[in-house]
Amino acid sequence: MQDRSAEGRPAVPTVPAVPTVRDAAFEVLRRLGLTTVFGNPGSTEIPFLTGLPGDMTFRLALHEGPVVGLATGWALARDRPALVNLHTTAGLGNAVAALATARANRAPLVVLVGQQDRRHLAHDPFLAGRLAGLAGEYPVWTHQPVRAQDVPGALARAHHEAVTARGPALVAVPMDDWDAPAGPGRDAAPVAVCRPRVPGGEGAARIAESLGASRAPVIVAGAGADDPGTWDALAALAGRLGAPVWQEPFGARAGFPQDHPAFAGHLPPGRSALRAALAAHDVLLVVGAPVFRQYPREPGDLVPDGMRVLQVTPYPDEAHNSVADLAVIADPAEVCREVAGRISPREAAWPGRAPVAPAEVPAPGGPLRPAHVFDLLARLLPADAVLVEETPSSRPELHRRVPARAPLGFLSAAAGGLGFGLPAAAGVKLGAPHRPVIAVLGDGSSLYGIQGLWSAAHYGAGVLFVVLANGGYAIMDRLAEQAGHAAPPWPSFGEVRVSAIAEGLGCPARRITSYGELERVLAEVVPGLAGRDAPLLLDVEVAADPAYG
């Protein structure tokens, strides 16, 4: 007998809703932990973003550079991929420099790029993107699914590619794909990927043999060693060998505790000075770093004549383009532990670093210099602070005066382009809210990612932004002077007030012009950084450093 409604009419059969590609994609994203979306939306993203499920969170930035910068900091703080949403050609084009930095910083990102409606792409409609190749070779993987039903699997594969290759993986999705019915069966990507930790085997044995036979070994640590396990393993190996440990040139992260007695300092970026720093040693072990990144070009070899070079890195590309005699692609912590167990202990040959004398406090009305700022930070920052740096003209002085004392204690842009530091610091704080986070930025550098201040303020990222305002591109001025050519054509911009811009973006700010005022403000703010839920920008007027490097 036919069912009837309460009014006596025949009941309308209930038709189950057909799952869409969007529904299936959200299930994949949930499974992979990609439930926070960093983006700056456009029309091609409307079908994906509107009506987000309650367990998905959207984080807006006002330009695609800060979008990727926020996601990069978030991913590095949490050591897992972040999800980025970009708007077709314009959004991806604006984000390319930040994606290059994410690739160099080994930040795993899943980048979802909107595309025009698939049904009229053949007619090259308005906002259709020629997306393949737009970001060059900076993505570790780029794909536009052939069918709408392939989108969920493409997102899963992008996650696996981003984790395996440690970089941004791009998926371009036509806007009408999201409402298409989901396909039956399994996606063309593994549900999960298991990546074994390779201990090194024969490579560890050969490294131990070379180090055991060495007269005066030395270690260089890099960004790929910046995790608690590798810090512990490297400290144990350095103690066993009695060898000093240097930080790689241009290291985007600290690969070794910089308050350890074995820490020798930061290797210089030029070949001649680097060879001089390593001249007393016969065997060099490089852990978690390339051999070596240099700038500018200088004549001569990278390392002293006769030195044997050993390398341990988790990244094949670092091994394949190095000058090592032996490169081992494996987990650095496991290899260092195995090597330490194979060698006999030696007396420490740690010369010890000469203490850096504090900069003389300026007289009343005298100019502040970056060294004054860094001395105060070194005195006040807690050991677990994350310092995000983007102040090229003052970086050597910062390295001398503010040591990294915990993993992720130091973070900077590995690619060298500007605009990373400000949004990345906000992303780090959002990703690791328990850590104190401070960003030390140049005024010129901060302008490349200044829109990130709105996101920091809106989402409660309690970062202390310290902007060293010298009113110009000081690093460029110094390099121009060193080149010995005619005067550079660019002007200074001393009239720019980053603090005024910050307040216009909703970020509290203060202009600091004296040492006493800076000391008082830092003493008030720094102790509460870990629990801070609102950003603060200090626009500190400083005199330019007279030299760089």
Side-chain angles (χ1 to χ4, degrees):
M1 185 173 67
Q2 188 178 34
D3 291 337
R4 291 184 175 271
S5 67
E7 291 81 7
R9 295 189 300 272
V12 178
T14 301
V15 179
V18 177
T20 64
V21 165
R22 185 173 184 262
D23 297 328
F26 283 133
E27 287 303 313
V28 169
L29 295 175
R30 292 183 182 103
R31 187 181 76 225
L32 298 172
L34 296 171
T35 56
T36 299
V37 187
F38 296 90
N40 181 270
S43 57
T44 54
E45 290 68 60
I46 291 295
F48 172 69
L49 290 175
T50 53
L52 275 181
D55 60 339
M56 301 289 293
T57 301
F58 184 78
R59 294 285 182 257
L60 173 68
L62 304 184
H63 184 275
E64 288 82 2
V67 166
V68 176
L70 282 161
T72 298
W74 193 93
L76 293 175
R78 298 170 72 94
D79 196 28
R80 60 185 179 87
L83 177 61
V84 174
N85 187 227
L86 301 175
H87 173 54
T88 190
T89 305
L92 180 56
N94 284 344
V96 169
L99 291 171
T101 297
R103 173 71 180 264
N105 277 83
R106 309 285 183 180
L109 304 179
V110 175
V111 183
L112 182 59
V113 184
Q115 175 62 294
Q116 249 286 8
D117 192 302
R118 184 187 292 273
R119 293 167 295 186
H120 68 162
L121 276 176
H123 305 298
D124 194 23
F126 182 68
L127 289 180
R130 300 182 182 181
L131 304 176
L134 179 58
E137 297 183 2
Y138 292 117
V140 299
W141 185 67
T142 302
H143 183 61
Q144 179 171 309
V146 176
R147 307 178 306 149
Q149 289 73 24
D150 296 330
V151 168
L155 291 173
R157 178 171 173 184
H159 173 275
H160 303 328
E161 296 277 2
V163 172
T164 301
R166 297 293 294 189
L170 271 62
V171 180
V173 180
M175 59 192 298
D176 60 311
D177 282 8
W178 299 113
D179 293 326
R186 290 177 174 267
D187 297 324
V191 174
V193 175
C194 181
R195 299 171 181 84
R197 296 173 68 89
V198 181
E202 177 192 359
R206 293 176 63 183
I207 288 174
E209 181 181 3
S210 292
L211 291 174
S214 65
R215 169 184 53 80
V218 62
I219 298 171
V220 172
D226 186 23
D227 64 81
T230 309
W231 274 37
D232 291 344
L234 262 177
L237 178 58
R240 192 90 173 164
L241 275 175
V245 182
W246 290 85
Q247 171 73 31
E248 65 166 319
F250 297 109
R253 298 172 67 166
F256 190 78
Q258 294 173 0
D259 57 348
H260 191 284
F263 184 63
H266 292 76
L267 278 180
R271 294 187 179 204
S272 58
L274 186 148
R275 290 194 302 270
L278 301 177
H281 305 279
D282 61 336
V283 175
L284 166 64
L285 173 64
V286 180
V287 180
V291 190
F292 286 107
R293 298 182 79 193
Q294 295 283 282
Y295 178 81
R297 170 69 170 85
E298 290 184 2
D301 292 333
L302 279 167
V303 296
D305 290 341
M307 171 173 274
R308 180 166 175 77
V309 181
L310 314 169
Q311 182 186 29
V312 181
T313 175
Y315 308 123
D317 59 319
E318 282 187 352
H320 296 161
N321 63 15
S322 78
V323 298
D325 297 287
L326 171 65
V328 178
I329 302 171
D331 179 74
E334 297 292 337
V335 173
C336 289
R337 278 192 286 267
E338 186 172 340
V339 170
R342 290 173 175 264
I343 58 177
S344 301
R346 304 185 185 197
E347 289 291 327
W350 301 332
R353 301 180 69 200
V356 179
E360 185 176 347
V361 175
L368 271 170
R369 294 197 177 275
H372 298 130
V373 181
F374 301 152
D375 283 346
L376 288 172
L377 293 179
R379 191 173 83 203
L380 295 170
L381 284 177
D384 64 338
V386 182
L387 192 155
V388 183
E389 175 272 327
E390 195 167 55
T391 174
S393 62
S394 305
R395 184 178 299 131
E397 196 67 60
L398 186 148
H399 283 326
R400 291 178 64 225
R401 296 179 183 275
V402 188
R405 293 176 286 166
L408 197 62
F410 175 82
L411 178 62
S412 69
L418 300 180
F420 167 81
L422 191 154
V428 168
K429 186 62 178 177
L430 292 174
H434 61 287
R435 297 281 295 267
V437 180
I438 181 170
V440 179
L441 314 166
D443 50 354
S445 300
S446 67
L447 295 176
Y448 286 80
I450 197 71
Q451 304 94 334
L453 290 175
W454 181 90
S455 300
H458 187 81
Y459 296 112
V463 178
L464 176 61
F465 297 100
V466 178
V467 176
L468 305 181
N470 55 38
Y473 293 122
I475 178 62
M476 297 299 298
D477 295 338
R478 298 295 81 76
L479 291 173
E481 290 170 6
Q482 292 172 15
H485 300 307
W490 53 84
S492 61
F493 44 87
E495 69 275 18
V496 171
R497 290 290 179 265
V498 177
S499 48
I501 300 172
E503 290 177 344
L505 290 168
C507 176
R510 293 183 63 170
R511 178 77 172 177
I512 305 290
T513 59
S514 71
Y515 181 88
E517 184 182 11
L518 177 64
E519 186 177 34
R520 287 192 299 274
V521 172
L522 290 178
E524 174 188 342
V525 173
V526 169
L529 271 182
R532 190 176 182 89
D533 59 4
L536 174 64
L537 184 140
L538 303 182
D539 188 2
V540 185
E541 186 176 310
V542 297
D545 277 350
Y548 169 73

